[in-house]
Amino acid sequence: MDKTKLAETQGPLKSQYKEDPESAVVTLKAYGDVDGSGIACRVQTSQALVEAGLHPATGGDGTQLCSGDMLLEALVACAGVTLRAVSTSMGVEIRGGNVHAEGDLDFRGTLGVAKDAPVGFREVRLRFDLDTDADADTLATLHKLTERYCVVFQTLAKPPQLSVEMTPRQPAGA
């Protein structure tokens, strides 16, 4: 998709969202199934059913996806798509490249071994290695705008209000 096609595609959406801000609010959903045996959760993605389980550092055997890895993969995916959209909009040629995310976890936290160890990532690093002729100023702008408009990055940087609800499932026929 080139700059013109992107503007043609997004233009009507931007106009609609300016005129009717509520139409821009979309509730994304994910669904997981914890039925069955084992310590796992089957998650339906738009492409496939995947099964997440324990990371080997918490007792898993490595055959299931790790939700921490999935979080980093979501960051890479979102940052890569955002980079491509922003560079297209700016008219900056990106011939190719890679997006890398890595994060440090202290598994003592999630295993309850040390109360002072955080549960979750204590640091996440995102890096782009790009094949481009863009100059330093252009790359700085691309960096700033990619960071600003990447949904997953911004969600991690400024966490939303979270809530959890747990209810018992009603038996069939009840």
Side-chain angles (χ1 to χ4, degrees), residues 11-12 18 54 57 65-66 104 114 126 130 135 151 154 157 164 171:
K18 285 178 184 174
L54 293 172
L65 298 173
C66 166
D104 302 323
L126 182 64
L130 302 176
D135 62 30
V151 171
Q154 287 301 320
V164 177

Side-chain angles (χ1 to χ4, degrees), residues 18 47 117 122 124 130 174:
K18 285 178 184 174
Q47 301 294 314
R122 63 179 171 193
V124 173
L130 302 176

